[in-house]
Amino acid sequence: MSDGLQLPKFSIGVGDRFAHQAKAQLAACVMALKAGVEVVPVWNKSNREHMIIGSEPKNTRIAADEAVKELGWTKPYFLDADHINLKTVERFMEPCDFFTLDVADMIGKPADPEEVLAFVHRHPELVGEVSIPGVETPFQTDIEFVKGVANKFLAAVQDAGKIYAHLLEFKGAGRFVPEISMDETDYPQTPVELLIILAAIADEKIPIQTIAPKFTGRFNKGVDYVGDVAQFTKEFEEDLAAIAFAIKQYGLPANLKLSVHSGSDKFSIYKAIHDGAKKFGAGVHLKTAGTTWLEELIGLAEAGGSGLEIAKEVYAEAFAHADELCAPYATVINIDPAALPTPETVNGWTSEQYTSALRHDQSNPAYNQSFRQLLHVGFKVAAKMGDKYLSALEANEESVARNVTTNLFERHIKPVFLGL
């Protein structure tokens, strides 16, 4: 089920809000290759981000292609139509070769009762004692349980099937990488629930190469994981086991792997991700996005002068419009308003004070995760600045690029893919 374009074992989703850091991001992948591991870049930018910034997916394609040419990158690379559905996919068709099928709106919507029943009859192996190699205790299910899970997820999988069929018609078989996102739901899926979802995906004949399940804990934007690391570790490994089993059981693509969404800056679970992937010989897709935009701000602030002034201006505007900026991200941020410095205070900061508050270094007492989260969702402010912001990036390219590359390689690639 996996002919054609193949996503390699290790990949990293690199968001680039303003299409200026493709070269700096790719430089981190070059460093990984020199360190002995191939981690391929997948540039991702959602429809919402394009709408806010006023950009087109083709801009991201141009930036990625130019970076690849300039750095002489000969390994694969991809462009992700991030979280698309049938209403938003068209503008991504031509430039993209990786599609994250977003079926969040359909999760929990009841499926056709006859189709649920047909699914259960098709899959007697999911009823009773379900043993998954690599999971210590077999799962005990019954027909009602499988019907319940199917009822929750079948309509979503069928929706993914419609999006995939539409892509197939335009792109052609084997000419793009499909991912399904199941992470935007209230509760994490158990391994047996994931197995049921994968059976449904196989029934729909969607040759997914990555799947993003929901994990326990909070994956807040731009800050560390909040939750029980031991529980996450158990879930992650059991999900890897369920995927390995589903590949054999249902003929899904051999390179099918877990995708960790909102994966940037989740430092406390990176060891678990690395160790789990190593234990199962599995691949991983780590999706990062806003962390690059924050490194742009750090680079500007670090450069001082007009760069620091722009960074301060972005914060002042974000502070003034905090409610509006935070509303779309309410479920994935956790800001303490009392911890936010006033713009007047920030306007008096040195470069070091600004970067110390923003850079994700938890050993620094000046690090302020509320400040960081507000700026994470504040890219709309920079978008409204237009050429003023972009000119600042270009004028301070060395400082910005250095921070972008260092952040991706040292804080993300090394712990996740190299185990360092």
Side-chain angles (χ1 to χ4, degrees), residues 256-268:
L256 173 59
K257 60 184 179 177
L258 279 179
S259 180
V260 183
H261 281 201
S262 296
S264 63
D265 300 277
K266 305 300 179 283
F267 304 143
S268 62

Side-chain angles (χ1 to χ4, degrees), residues 110-182:
D112 182 301
E114 287 187 11
E115 292 183 0
V116 168
L117 211 54
F119 174 83
V120 176
H121 287 152
R122 261 197 316 275
H123 294 287
E125 78 283 357
L126 295 171
V127 180
E129 184 173 283
V130 182
S131 295
I132 300 173
V135 178
E136 283 183 21
T137 310
F139 292 93
Q140 298 294 333
T141 74
D142 56 26
I143 286 177
E144 288 308 309
F145 173 81
V146 178
K147 278 170 67 177
V149 177
N151 196 49
K152 183 176 181 182
F153 291 103
L154 198 56
V157 172
Q158 289 169 341
D159 192 48
K162 289 173 189 168
I163 305 168
Y164 177 73
H166 186 59
L167 289 167
L168 204 57
E169 199 175 324
F170 185 91
K171 301 290 287 187
R175 297 179 62 84
F176 61 96
V177 171
E179 169 177 292
I180 291 183
S181 163
M182 286 284 179

